[in-house]
Amino acid sequence: MEVETQYTQFDSLNLDCGVTLNPVDCAYQTYGQLNTNKTNAILVTHAFSGDAQAAGIDKDTGQKGWWDNMIGPGRAFDTDKYFVICSNVLGGCKGSTGPASLDPATHRPYGMGFPVITMADMVRLQKKLIESLGIKKLLAVAGGSMGGMQALQWAVQYPDAVAAAIPIATTARHSAQQIAFNEVGRQAVMADPDWNGGEYYIGRPPARGLAVARMVGHITYMSDESMRQKFGRRTRENDDIFEVESYLRYRGSQFVDRFDANSYLYITKAMDLFDLTHNGDMTLTAALESATTRFLVISFTSDWLYPSYQSQEIVNALRRRNHDVAYCELESNYGHDAFLVEVKEQSELVRGFLAKTFKGMNR
Amino acid sequence: MEVETQYTQFDSLNLDCGVTLNPVDCAYQTYGQLNTNKTNAILVTHAFSGDAQAAGIDKDTGQKGWWDNMIGPGRAFDTDKYFVICSNVLGGCKGSTGPASLDPATHRPYGMGFPVITMADMVRLQKKLIESLGIKKLLAVAGGSMGGMQALQWAVQYPDAVAAAIPIATTARHSAQQIAFNEVGRQAVMADPDWNGGEYYIGRPPARGLAVARMVGHITYMSDESMRQKFGRRTRENDDIFEVESYLRYRGSQFVDRFDANSYLYITKAMDLFDLTHNGDMTLTAALESATTRFLVISFTSDWLYPSYQSQEIVNALRRRNHDVAYCELESNYGHDAFLVEVKEQSELVRGFLAKTFKGMNR
């Protein structure tokens, strides 16, 4: 399936911080066909470093979509039945407005002049996109990691506009440890003199700092066990370098070519700020009170970055008010990466859940 | 107890890599009195960023020793009974020869010209120190984390010179994940332009890179739970900064004043290279075959950096050949830091184990 990114622009977007972006760009892709009732649309939301290409093969780069194993004809998100949409998040660097975009006021990249954004802001832009496609109510919003945060945010922000939410390997709010890992990444970026206060768009980007940040990320995405299986203590280059070192260096250096350092700062911050309980102002149960969507919550046994107890907190909060929620903790050695690679059981869960939701919505 | 660091020098030290250091300095402290039979000496070995001051109050800085809660009159390592020695490791930056030391051949700091060192080299220098103090056989070698690696190394390298080993919160070899965390730290240091290939002793040190490296370290030393208890999602400075961010930044920046960046590189590498099985050339059981020491192995439930299964591997290998080994996994929320702060049960275990060993040695 050959795919192509589409671009749309909206006049303005009001942000939580009080700033209004105008205009604002949104890059997206769609797969499958919207039915005449417009009741088969699914929004798939990407994780931190993802983009609008969730599925298919990019016709220019030949790259596969980040959830291609889950989206397509006959797959979990079956494009023979559903119309699947994925957009690059606000603050990103893959076609939607972000810190690398030109500030219309100055005709220069926003850089650190970009306003602080939140998960609610990202979702607000997605809502505009959905409306522009003529869709009043999504069949589902589904995503893993930061994508799961967006799914949760949709359920509380637009309960009437989404029938089902599938938050996977995620949390209702970052723990101190999750904030800490993000902060280390940010400090690594900002410690690089090439970062230059975010003003590097006419110079060279903070490649070394961003690479270090990405290395930290990769460790947290894998499990102790999956690293042992993949690398163990094997060495290369005349025994001088452990394979795991070589892998991390490669993945770190590679990341620089495809990601903007300021987007790294803004998006990780949005993740850290995300908190359905508004920093404890309300219980999670109260926060999810208004959600009328059905939920399918999935976590993975070896995911220590977004451990299962965080998914269970969400499930418990929903059950306390008799929300319609299914939960499954899937067995996996892949750590946080599991939501991208453990396709089999995840597909079955998603497939059944979507079919039932679709039936209910089209009764 | 007011303490002071002593310094000694040896003509030469042969290293695993084939290089001979001459001369080589060794900084150390001692607490308590050596008995006339010289059978009450305990070597305490420090972790990665430790130093020779294991106990007491430094008379200049007022700083407490890193294991002061474990060493002193009436404490686990009872200085009324035992003569406790702690030395700064080879490759360190607290008085023993390391990359910041002057290379006698060039009269300039070694920098990256310092030879690659191993855990066996560190232990070889400690052996020289012990001999210079007239001690033929240590009652025990005890330490946590990298200190535990040294305790294990002593048991296989000098089985006749140590009656007991107490490796705590440690491993017989780093996993891919442990290597990965160290590698991220090294890359953070080397990404800092001020590192300058290790030639920064007349310029400014790579403060930002070393701070990032230390931040990663601190996350791995704590547990998810202890970070939640200590910081949660609390903020400071007008809600702009999470407390955990502020803490990590502080600890990172502080580290630069007390640690040499090149020592960071060399010592973490020695930890990664440490492998009692010689990269799988022999089983752990075979590797520990020659050890005639008694063992007390301790791990902590929430330590995810040196998880209990690694201690259990050591214990299982020892038991397979009927070595005298006691093992205890202590309940703690403190993560890897537990070996420094969970004093109560650890003290009881160590106290009883030392008393029994002392009795056996002085029969």
Side-chain angles (χ1 to χ4, degrees):
Chain A
M1 178 167 74
E2 208 171 67
V3 296
E4 204 176 346
T5 302
Q6 296 173 269
Y7 299 88
T8 186
Q9 193 175 72
F10 304 103
D11 286 344
S12 68
L13 184 75
N14 298 324
L15 304 178
D16 278 352
C17 65
V19 172
T20 298
L21 289 173
N22 44 355
V24 63
D25 296 313
C26 183
Y28 68 101
Q29 296 197 358
T30 69
Y31 323 105
Q33 300 296 324
L34 188 61
N35 62 9
T36 38
N37 297 340
K38 299 183 176 176
T39 56
N40 71 335
I42 297 170
L43 177 68
V44 157
T45 46
H46 70 71
F48 162 62
S49 64
D51 55 30
Q53 196 205 337
I57 310 288
D58 185 276
K59 69 186 192 67
D60 295 325
T61 65
Q63 194 107 37
K64 253 192 193 169
W66 55 267
W67 229 6
D68 185 63
N69 51 18
M70 290 286 290
I71 304 167
R75 297 190 182 156
F77 297 97
D78 189 345
T79 49
D80 288 339
K81 293 181 186 164
Y82 307 118
F83 178 61
V84 178
I85 308 152
C86 181
S87 65
N88 184 216
V89 294
L90 179 71
C93 49
K94 303 298 180 63
S96 292
T97 296
S101 303
L102 286 186
D103 180 352
T106 64
H107 303 288
R108 294 172 52 216
Y110 282 101
M112 295 307 282
F114 197 70
V116 171
I117 52 165
T118 65
M119 217 49 65
D121 295 330
M122 293 181 187
V123 165
R124 206 169 284 128
L125 178 60
Q126 290 162 352
K127 182 65 160 49
K128 278 186 185 280
L129 172 66
I130 298 307
E131 283 171 1
S132 77
L133 297 171
I135 299 158
K136 289 217 174 66
K137 185 166 187 166
L138 288 165
L139 175 63
V141 179
S145 200
M146 189 183 85
M149 295 180 189
Q150 294 159 65
L152 291 169
Q153 185 64 35
W154 262 91
V156 300
Q157 195 167 339
Y158 302 113
D160 299 333
V162 55
I166 310 180
I168 305 176
T170 194
T171 181
R173 52 180 168 178
H174 264 185
S175 66
Q177 192 185 60
Q178 289 164 322
I179 295 169
F181 276 119
N182 273 348
E183 171 65 4
V184 164
R186 286 188 292 264
Q187 289 295 324
V189 167
M190 296 191 290
D192 189 330
D194 289 335
W195 177 63
N196 190 31
E199 302 282 317
Y200 53 79
Y201 295 108
I202 45 167
R204 54 181 182 189
R208 288 160 304 179
L210 189 59
V212 169
R214 187 58 172 175
M215 289 173 68
V216 178
H218 271 294
I219 301 176
T220 64
Y221 303 153
M222 299 181 76
S223 72
D224 182 21
E225 184 57 26
S226 66
M227 288 192 112
R228 185 185 340 278
Q229 285 174 9
K230 188 163 181 164
F231 311 110
R233 291 181 54 84
R234 286 187 298 279
T235 53
R236 55 172 56 185
E237 292 179 36
N238 304 321
D239 284 3
D240 272 356
I241 297 174
F242 288 105
E243 279 188 13
V244 65
E245 297 178 308
S246 155
Y247 171 83
L248 289 175
R249 288 179 201 175
Y250 172 72
R251 294 301 290 260
S253 65
Q254 199 196 28
F255 189 57
V256 176
D257 298 329
R258 67 177 185 88
F259 213 78
D260 175 57
N262 287 336
S263 275
Y264 188 102
L265 303 181
Y266 277 90
I267 297 178
T268 56
K269 197 69 190 176
M271 292 166 79
D272 291 346
L273 292 173
F274 176 66
D275 183 352
L276 285 187
T277 73
H278 297 271
N279 267 322
D281 275 0
M282 56 175 85
T283 63
L284 192 52
T285 304
L288 289 163
E289 188 84 64
S290 62
T292 50
T293 52
R294 307 179 64 221
F295 283 86
L296 169 62
V297 179
I298 299 174
S299 68
F300 297 90
T301 50
S302 62
D303 184 350
W304 60 276
L305 184 60
Y306 288 86
S308 287
Y309 77 80
Q310 293 188 323
S311 287
Q312 284 153 12
E313 273 173 13
I314 296 166
V315 172
N316 291 341
L318 288 167
R319 288 199 174 139
R320 238 171 254 129
R321 286 289 181 278
N322 291 315
H323 282 288
D324 183 353
V325 53
Y327 169 61
C328 196
E329 183 186 32
L330 295 178
E331 196 76 44
S332 173
N333 272 338
Y334 282 103
H336 188 55
D337 276 338
F339 84 91
L340 294 169
V341 292
E342 288 285 6
V343 175
K344 201 168 162 290
E345 283 172 293
Q346 188 173 248
S347 291
E348 281 167 32
L349 289 170
V350 168
R351 187 179 286 116
F353 180 78
L354 288 177
K356 204 176 153 194
T357 309
F358 185 72
K359 216 168 152 186
M361 203 168 156
N362 291 274
R363 225 178 344 222
Chain B
M1 176 167 77
E2 209 172 65
V3 297
E4 205 176 345
T5 302
Q6 294 173 271
Y7 299 88
T8 187
Q9 193 175 73
F10 303 103
D11 286 345
S12 68
L13 184 75
N14 298 325
L15 304 179
D16 278 352
C17 65
V19 173
T20 299
L21 288 174
N22 43 354
V24 63
D25 296 312
C26 183
Y28 68 101
Q29 295 199 359
T30 68
Y31 322 106
Q33 300 296 325
L34 189 61
N35 62 8
T36 37
N37 296 342
K38 301 183 175 175
T39 55
N40 71 336
I42 297 170
L43 177 68
V44 157
T45 46
H46 69 71
F48 161 61
S49 66
D51 55 29
Q53 195 205 338
I57 311 288
D58 185 277
K59 70 186 192 68
D60 295 326
T61 65
Q63 194 107 36
K64 254 192 193 170
W66 55 268
W67 230 6
D68 185 63
N69 52 18
M70 290 287 290
I71 304 166
R75 297 190 183 157
F77 297 96
D78 189 344
T79 49
D80 288 340
K81 292 181 186 164
Y82 307 119
F83 178 61
V84 178
I85 308 153
C86 181
S87 65
N88 184 218
V89 294
L90 179 71
C93 50
K94 303 298 181 64
S96 292
T97 295
S101 303
L102 286 186
D103 179 352
T106 63
H107 304 289
R108 295 172 52 217
Y110 282 102
M112 294 307 282
F114 197 71
V116 171
I117 51 166
T118 65
M119 217 50 63
D121 295 328
M122 293 181 187
V123 164
R124 206 169 283 128
L125 178 60
Q126 290 161 351
K127 182 66 161 45
K128 277 186 186 280
L129 172 67
I130 298 307
E131 283 170 2
S132 77
L133 297 171
I135 298 159
K136 288 218 174 67
K137 185 166 188 166
L138 288 165
L139 176 63
V141 179
S145 199
M146 189 182 84
M149 294 180 189
Q150 293 159 65
L152 291 169
Q153 185 64 34
W154 262 92
V156 300
Q157 194 167 340
Y158 303 115
D160 299 333
V162 55
I166 310 180
I168 304 176
T170 194
T171 182
R173 53 179 168 176
H174 264 185
S175 66
Q177 192 185 61
Q178 288 164 323
I179 295 169
F181 276 118
N182 273 348
E183 171 66 3
V184 164
R186 287 189 291 264
Q187 290 295 325
V189 167
M190 296 190 291
D192 188 331
D194 289 335
W195 178 62
N196 190 31
E199 302 281 319
Y200 53 80
Y201 294 107
I202 44 166
R204 54 181 182 189
R208 288 161 302 179
L210 189 59
V212 169
R214 187 58 171 175
M215 289 173 69
V216 178
H218 271 294
I219 301 176
T220 64
Y221 303 154
M222 299 181 76
S223 72
D224 182 21
E225 183 56 27
S226 66
M227 289 192 113
R228 187 186 336 279
Q229 285 174 8
K230 189 163 181 165
F231 310 111
R233 290 181 54 84
R234 284 187 299 280
T235 54
R236 55 171 57 183
E237 292 179 37
N238 303 322
D239 285 5
D240 273 356
I241 298 174
F242 288 105
E243 279 188 13
V244 65
E245 297 177 308
S246 156
Y247 171 84
L248 289 175
R249 289 180 202 175
Y250 173 72
R251 294 302 290 260
S253 66
Q254 199 195 29
F255 189 58
V256 176
D257 298 328
R258 68 176 184 87
F259 213 79
D260 175 58
N262 286 336
S263 275
Y264 188 102
L265 304 181
Y266 276 90
I267 297 178
T268 56
K269 197 69 190 175
M271 292 167 80
D272 290 346
L273 292 173
F274 176 66
D275 184 351
L276 285 186
T277 72
H278 296 272
N279 267 322
D281 275 1
M282 55 174 84
T283 64
L284 192 53
T285 304
L288 288 163
E289 188 84 64
S290 62
T292 51
T293 52
R294 307 179 64 221
F295 282 86
L296 169 62
V297 179
I298 299 174
S299 67
F300 298 90
T301 50
S302 62
D303 184 351
W304 60 276
L305 184 60
Y306 288 86
S308 288
Y309 77 79
Q310 293 188 323
S311 287
Q312 284 154 11
E313 273 174 14
I314 297 166
V315 172
N316 292 340
L318 288 166
R319 287 201 175 138
R320 238 172 254 129
R321 286 290 182 275
N322 291 317
H323 282 287
D324 183 353
V325 53
Y327 169 62
C328 197
E329 181 185 34
L330 295 178
E331 196 76 43
S332 173
N333 272 337
Y334 282 103
H336 188 54
D337 276 340
F339 85 90
L340 294 169
V341 293
E342 287 285 5
V343 175
K344 202 169 163 290
E345 283 172 292
Q346 188 173 247
S347 291
E348 280 167 31
L349 290 170
V350 168
R351 187 179 286 116
F353 180 78
L354 289 176
K356 205 176 152 193
T357 310
F358 185 73
K359 216 168 152 186
M361 201 168 156
N362 290 275
R363 230 184 331 231

